[in-house]
């Protein structure tokens, strides 16, 4: 049998990143290439207790079919929590619980984009979202990142040129992979530009609650008086990713289409995980847990950055982070980044070549991404020493 | 904001069925309209015990990110179980664990069909699958059902006429909504026709293991020497639907595309439910559980059919079933089926109008669907009396 596939997916391949990611899980490799939250941060005891209680008191609720929109008490609680804490959600908004946050990106592209339409993205950006958009045959238009978020002039130019732009995709807090947080000023500009050009904004915020230093910047969705913003949240970084619980807060008409499309994918999100997530938010010390996690991530990130300062300077530069899981490292001009990352793998240190996050993987790139939450402290120390020696050999000649 | 949507979903609306299904969950209504497995059939104690053990022994496995293909031990076990029990799966096949079985239909359409391509379906068929196909802008070509499965002449005619046919979708066992099981002879013909015309087959088998009478008919996938069949299985009817665990066994190249596309939807299926499903298959008496469930469903189905014979004859006819969850009821010609179902709802009995399952909801239809697994025995008795009186009033004049 000669298999042929739909145009939208014929060119979609497991990214080059997957080749390197394979090493992440192999023993003996230092997994700077991973993206896992720290397992120490999982509230294991609370989850075990909530789960046991659930099966004791109302097991059928956890095991029977449920509705597509999501577990009612979780939806209600999240809406009021997000309103109170982040001023997110207005009368015209509704909330959909999804099977992880990536489902929000996939459904948004499905619902909004015909093949050939454009999605405007930060360049570089999260490969899982980019591939979700690509899987609908859309054109990705990248907007370069600055230290405080997208280049707003480049964004306006993109909006002028891309007549079929449907939405702007942004990770405003501790962006993956750059670690950049968009300034409040740029958030306001971004919103104004979206309004001016009549395109929607998809605000993806998986890392906001990991902030361990500095001050929260208001969500773009908090500015949304016109129903322009689809907000995407996730429990993966603040509770546990294996549970696959995310959510979208979106204007009613968009919400309705997302629901219809989610229904044909998976009917509803695993209901055990929804009930446990609700219990964790309402019966446990959720804000205390966030604080504990922030301290844990802050300590580990500072430890990593100190070692980077010690071993990687002056060859490799990076922008210090105040949250999120990633550090974006830059090699000097003229150094072959891909060769550097390959040689690091030879020395049992796996990082992710930055080109994997570009709209076009073939563009030149001097950066690679490091994750500090998956490796142990000992692995981080070892890995930085190895990368430091490699940098000195490669860049110091 | 004036919202516009992608062509593929602009016309996709919550089906008329949803209007009636609303009554399913309202107290006071008899839920013949539902499609829930019987909660008595859920192995609650086993799930609770396996879940508790999991959080005691290796909680991080259940909570961390995992791989898209699915939980390794579950994949391995399912492959050997399906090979041994049903002769399903060959060297060229691989297995993907999905978030419920509907995800297999959605991903198959995404992977195989451009907009305007054709999917050939049994007419009537399961609305969740039909809407999954519709959500990719495909044309649905219906093939009429006979008592032993699709009309094979009509199928060949469809294959001749539909130059852009990509796959044939069938529920060969206890089809939803008709309850029909395709004969072995027709399965062989279907396979031969697919081979002759170079189209794939999507074999959806959620109900096969609910058989409570008669003999198993071999799966179409067991005939698959050419890599033509994507087999879809589900734990929803034999374990618990809220867990959302299904799977696809598909030829390697199709499997690979399904994996890439699943990755951008939800990364992987909830890992707790995958581990619990694996434990239930390997540590508990899985085949004993299936037998117990078959007895439970058989008893309830026979109870229901006896009451139908008593109350609904001679006005309403149906084809007796040997498994599955549904009975397909036919009103005499000339009776307005939609008006009948509406009046039944007025009398607090919810059924599903058969037109909801047609390729074109506006075609004439004399049938409606009844589910016997959700209502209690008492509700079934009451409901049949009410439907019987209504039939006598409506048809007996």
């Amino acid at each position: 049998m000669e298999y042929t596939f739909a145009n939208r997916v014929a060119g979609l391949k497991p990214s080059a990143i997957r080749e390197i990611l394979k090493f992440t899980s192999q023993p003996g490799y230092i997994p700077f290439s991973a993206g896992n939250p720290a397992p120490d941060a999982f509230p294991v005891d609370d989850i075990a207790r909530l789960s046991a209680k659930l099966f004791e008191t109302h097991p059928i609720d956890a095991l029977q079919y449920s509705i597509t929109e999501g577990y009612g008490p979780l939806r209600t609680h999240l809406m009021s929590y997000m309103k109170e804490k982040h001023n997110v959600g207005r009368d015209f908004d509704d909330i959909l619980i999804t099977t992880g946050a990536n489902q929000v990106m996939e459904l948004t592209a499905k619902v909004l984009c015909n093949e050939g339409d454009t999605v405007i993205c930060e360049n570089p950006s999260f490969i899982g979202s980019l591939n979700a958009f690509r899987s609908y045959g859309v054109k990705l238009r990248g907007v370069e990142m600055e230290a405080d978020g997208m280049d707003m002039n480049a964004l306006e130019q993109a909006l002028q040129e891309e007549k079929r732009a449907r939405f702007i995709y942004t990770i405003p807090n501790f962006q993956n992979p750059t670690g950049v947080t968009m300034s409040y000023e740029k958030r306001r500009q971004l919103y104004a530009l979206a309004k001016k050009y009549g395109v929607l904004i998809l605000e993806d915020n998986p890392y906001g609650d990991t902030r361990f230093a500095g001050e929260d910047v208001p969500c773009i969705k908090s500015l949304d008086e016109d129903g322009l913003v689809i907000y995407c949240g996730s429990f993966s970084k603040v509770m546990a990713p294996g549970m696959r619980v995310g959510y979208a807060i979106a204007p009613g008409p968009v919400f309705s289409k997302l629901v219809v499309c989610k229904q044909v994918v998976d009917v509803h999100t695993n209901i055990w995980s929804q009930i446990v997530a609700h219990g964790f938010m309402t019966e446990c010390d959720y804000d205390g847990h966030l604080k504990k996690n922030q301290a844990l991530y802050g300590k580990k990130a500072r430890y990593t950055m100190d070692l980077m300062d010690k071993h990687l300077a002056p060859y490799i530069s990076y922008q210090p982070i105040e949250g999120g899981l990633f550090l974006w490292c830059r090699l000097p001009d003229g150094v072959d980044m891909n060769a550097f990352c390959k040689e690091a793998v030879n020395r049992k240190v796996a990082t992710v070549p930055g080109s994997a996050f570009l709209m076009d993987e073939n563009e030149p790139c001097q950066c690679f991404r490091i994750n500090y939450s998956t490796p142990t402290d000992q692995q981080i120390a070892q890995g930085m020493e190895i990368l430091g020696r490699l940098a000195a050999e490669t860049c110091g000649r």
Side-chain angles (χ1 to χ4, degrees), chain A:
Chain A
M1 181 73 187
E2 187 90 20
Y3 301 98
T4 57
F5 298 101
N7 299 335
R8 71 174 79 82
V9 303
L12 204 70
K13 52 185 197 301
S15 168
I17 200 180
R18 298 256 297 192
E19 290 306 298
I20 286 212
L21 284 184
K22 272 195 265 174
F23 297 108
T24 298
S25 53
Q26 283 180 24
Y29 285 84
I30 293 170
F32 287 144
S33 54
N36 291 352
D40 310 352
F42 300 160
V44 172
D45 293 343
D46 284 331
I47 293 174
R49 189 172 39 76
L50 289 163
S51 174
K53 194 183 98 183
L54 171 60
F55 285 115
E56 220 170 86
T57 57
H58 42 301
I60 302 306
D61 288 0
L63 298 175
Q64 189 55 280
Y65 277 120
S66 187
I67 58 169
T68 305
E69 290 82 349
Y71 179 58
L74 177 61
R75 294 175 70 214
T76 307
H77 181 77
L78 265 174
M79 276 297 256
S80 65
Y81 179 88
M82 290 303 294
K83 183 71 192 170
E84 198 176 311
K85 192 165 172 189
H86 297 291
N87 193 27
V88 157
R90 300 186 185 229
D91 286 349
F92 54 68
D93 285 310
D94 209 335
I95 184 167
L96 170 67
I97 308 295
T98 56
T99 305
N102 225 74
Q103 189 169 59
V104 178
M105 311 330 147
E106 206 266 356
L107 291 177
T108 300
K110 182 170 185 175
V111 156
L112 293 179
C113 298
N114 287 313
E115 293 186 29
D117 283 351
T118 299
V119 176
I120 297 179
C121 302
E122 295 161 332
N123 192 25
S125 186
F126 172 49
I127 191 166
S129 301
L130 300 184
N131 279 342
F133 305 150
R134 287 180 179 126
S135 79
Y136 286 100
V138 302
K139 175 183 171 186
L140 301 182
R141 166 76 182 244
V143 174
E144 295 307 305
M145 289 293 276
E146 301 175 320
D148 60 347
M150 269 189 256
D151 176 338
M152 287 294 140
N153 293 325
L155 174 60
E156 177 142 30
Q157 196 185 339
L159 287 164
Q160 280 166 353
E161 289 173 7
E162 303 293 342
K163 300 300 179 203
R164 293 180 61 182
R166 296 292 289 149
F167 63 90
I168 304 163
Y169 173 65
T170 176
I171 306 171
N173 295 313
F174 319 121
Q175 200 243 13
N176 181 358
T178 61
V180 162
T181 292
M182 194 187 296
S183 66
Y184 185 53
E185 184 50 31
K186 282 200 170 172
R187 293 177 194 220
R188 292 165 55 98
Q189 288 174 27
L190 173 66
Y191 184 81
L193 284 171
K195 186 171 172 179
K196 179 174 168 189
Y197 289 91
V199 303
L200 300 180
I201 297 167
L202 176 54
E203 179 179 27
D204 183 15
N205 188 22
Y207 309 115
D209 279 334
T210 65
R211 177 180 284 281
F212 51 76
E215 292 292 322
D216 273 347
V217 185
C219 295
I220 303 166
K221 183 69 177 164
S222 73
L223 308 170
D224 189 16
E225 288 176 5
D226 309 277
L228 297 180
V229 185
I230 301 161
Y231 178 90
C232 173
S234 170
F235 285 99
S236 290
K237 276 75 193 180
V238 294
M239 197 169 162
M243 299 172 73
R244 313 306 303 126
V245 187
Y247 57 97
I249 297 177
V254 178
F255 163 81
S256 298
K257 285 289 178 194
L258 293 173
V259 170
V260 174
C261 283
K262 178 174 168 65
Q263 183 165 49
V264 303
V265 188
D266 59 16
V267 188
H268 62 79
T269 294
N270 179 291
I271 186 76
W272 167 84
S273 62
Q274 293 191 66
I275 296 176
V276 169
H278 174 252
F280 186 61
M281 284 194 88
T282 55
E283 296 174 34
C284 304
D285 179 12
Y286 185 66
D287 284 331
H289 168 77
L290 293 183
K291 283 205 185 77
K292 213 180 73 185
N293 269 11
Q294 287 151 4
L296 186 152
Y297 279 112
K299 193 175 159 205
K300 203 161 169 120
R302 279 182 212 103
Y303 174 76
T304 307
M305 289 190 279
D306 285 347
L307 286 163
M308 290 172 77
D309 294 339
K310 181 174 166 194
H311 295 295
L312 305 191
Y315 307 111
I316 297 173
S317 60
Y318 71 96
Q319 183 173 338
I321 56 169
E322 299 183 331
L325 309 183
F326 303 108
L327 289 149
W328 188 236
C329 305
R330 179 177 297 275
L331 287 161
D333 289 345
V335 173
D336 182 335
M337 181 273 297
N338 276 307
F340 180 90
C341 291
K342 265 183 201 150
E343 181 53 27
V345 165
N346 287 340
R347 301 184 188 190
K348 309 277 187 195
V349 178
T351 65
V352 185
S355 44
F357 304 98
L358 299 180
M359 301 305 110
D360 174 1
E361 285 194 12
N362 301 313
E363 278 177 42
C365 182
Q366 286 309 101
C367 297
F368 60 93
R369 190 191 75 176
I370 274 183
N371 163 259
Y372 70 88
S373 57
T374 308
T376 62
D377 284 2
Q378 201 192 351
Q379 285 178 314
I380 293 171
Q382 272 187 316
M384 287 304 163
E385 265 198 61
I386 295 170
L387 286 182
R389 275 198 302 275
L390 177 58
E393 287 171 31
T394 314
C395 316
R397 283 173 186 160

